[in-house]
Amino acid sequence: MKNLNLFRFVPFRMNRLAAEISAALSVEYRDRYGLDIPEWRVIATLGFRETPCTAQFVSESTHTHKSTISRAVSTLIERGIVERVENKVDRREYSLRLTREGRRLYLSLIPRLKRREAEILSCLTEAELRQFELLLGKLESGLSLPTGNAPAASVARSDAVAKDQARG
Amino acid sequence: MKNLNLFRFVPFRMNRLAAEISAALSVEYRDRYGLDIPEWRVIATLGFRETPCTAQFVSESTHTHKSTISRAVSTLIERGIVERVENKVDRREYSLRLTREGRRLYLSLIPRLKRREAEILSCLTEAELRQFELLLGKLESGLSLPTGNAPAASVARSDAVAKDQARG
DNA sequence: GTCTGATAGTTTCACTTGCAACTATCTTAG
DNA sequence: CTAAGATAGTTGCAAGTGAAACTATCAGAC
């Protein structure tokens, strides 16, 4: 077939689905808390990890441009949601962590977002959902996206790893 | 669990995957043909359908804002890829269709994009791929996105349908 | 016929974002 | 030590995009 049915074209479908799902979720973090997606990603990353982490870690693990993360962090600091912790060893970088208020916001946001996610996925059975998540994981691995399964170093220090590999 | 693992959060994963897939595909339509996503969507919609259709149809079926489609169409007309056909009955709207050159571009783009899509999906088995497409379809239906299965009227005239339903 | 409201498409404006250039800091070679 | 290059993060700028205002046209009420 020489034609291409856009409705059967996976890249288009993924784009559209992602946009639609984002829109559904933004009701929670944007309308309710005045957060945009990059800001939410910073909060989610810091909130989930127990240890503080750098802007670069957030940028790489969420696959978001570092300038976008930089601006999101600035806003969150102004709002008292995130704070910088100076790194005495390397003063170029800062560790980021949620403030007490930031953590409160994070904890109140989580159940809302999970509920939205469940709503969106409610058209799938339990088995279908597990299958879907499995397939997403395969695609992520195939595209070399961080999955959270790999050792933290592979995200936090991808450049260093690359250098090591080049040396070895 | 009070925490939320971003790497297990489907909305985030969909967003990231869609962005990554788009980036992989853009090599073909952007680097090679100087097209952006909205322009490609217009071409794909006009190319697939045998009958000319309006800007609004493209906008609704691809779920892209009408001003974005308007700008894409303008560019494509300037480039001689798309042409407007005046509608004698309703002069507010135009039918759009690919020019001869536009169709040539479309036909040369299709195999490239299909090859890219196949590459991206090559980490899935045949059965997994079928399953994945099935699940995407379920999610699309669940979110009321056009799937190409419904009668064309439901996309071309969604407002009219809504009005009818409200009346009935 | 005119008036009102709806609709297709365009344009203006404000905002977001990615790229590239920049600053400050660190590391390595000599 | 200094010089050169790499790196973390910031910022200026240009391009893209959505919302809303706008233009032109149509449909219906009267």
Side-chain angles (χ1 to χ4, degrees), chain A residues 25-114:
Chain A
L25 281 181
S26 74
V27 173
E28 296 298 344
Y29 53 71
R30 194 190 61 208
D31 298 359
R32 190 164 190 96
Y33 295 100
L35 298 168
D36 61 20
I37 288 185
E39 286 159 12
W40 148 243
R41 286 183 177 178
V42 171
I43 293 173
T45 304
L46 299 183
F48 175 64
R49 294 176 58 83
E50 56 294 336
T51 59
C53 49
T54 65
Q56 180 156 40
F57 177 86
V58 177
S59 168
E60 290 180 7
S61 67
T62 64
H63 236 233
T64 308
H65 198 276
K66 63 176 181 169
S67 62
T68 303
I69 295 297
S70 171
R71 284 184 270 251
V73 168
S74 297
T75 305
L76 292 172
I77 289 174
E78 273 174 32
R79 289 183 56 181
I81 292 168
V82 163
E83 60 189 356
R84 261 197 263 265
V85 184
E86 210 178 312
N87 181 344
K88 300 291 184 189
V89 179
D90 185 340
R91 269 162 37 212
R92 287 172 304 181
E93 68 178 30
Y94 302 89
S95 281
L96 301 170
R97 67 176 179 208
L98 295 178
T99 61
R100 185 184 304 260
E101 188 195 332
R103 180 151 293 274
R104 201 166 56 236
L105 187 154
Y106 173 71
L107 290 175
S108 71
L109 198 44
I110 295 313
R112 296 180 186 283
L113 291 173
K114 284 187 173 176

Side-chain angles (χ1 to χ4, degrees), chain B residues 36 38 65-68 71 89-92:
Chain B
D36 62 19
H65 198 277
K66 64 176 181 170
S67 61
T68 303
R71 284 183 272 250
V89 179
D90 186 340
R91 269 164 36 213
R92 287 173 304 180

Side-chain angles (χ1 to χ4, degrees), chain B residues 4 9 18 20 24 70 89-90 99 112 121 126 128 133 156 166:
Chain B
L4 184 149
F9 190 52
E20 194 68 12
S70 172
V89 179
D90 186 340
T99 61
R112 296 180 186 284
L121 298 172
E126 266 301 317
E128 284 172 338
E133 292 185 313

Side-chain angles (χ1 to χ4, degrees), chain B residues 24-82:
Chain B
L25 280 181
S26 74
V27 173
E28 296 297 344
Y29 53 71
R30 195 190 60 209
D31 298 0
R32 189 164 191 95
Y33 296 100
L35 299 168
D36 62 19
I37 288 186
E39 287 159 11
W40 149 243
R41 286 183 177 178
V42 171
I43 294 173
T45 303
L46 300 184
F48 176 65
R49 293 176 58 82
E50 56 294 334
T51 60
C53 50
T54 66
Q56 180 157 39
F57 176 86
V58 177
S59 168
E60 289 181 6
S61 66
T62 64
H63 237 233
T64 308
H65 198 277
K66 64 176 181 170
S67 61
T68 303
I69 295 297
S70 172
R71 284 183 272 250
V73 168
S74 296
T75 306
L76 292 172
I77 288 174
E78 274 175 31
R79 289 183 55 181
I81 292 167
V82 164

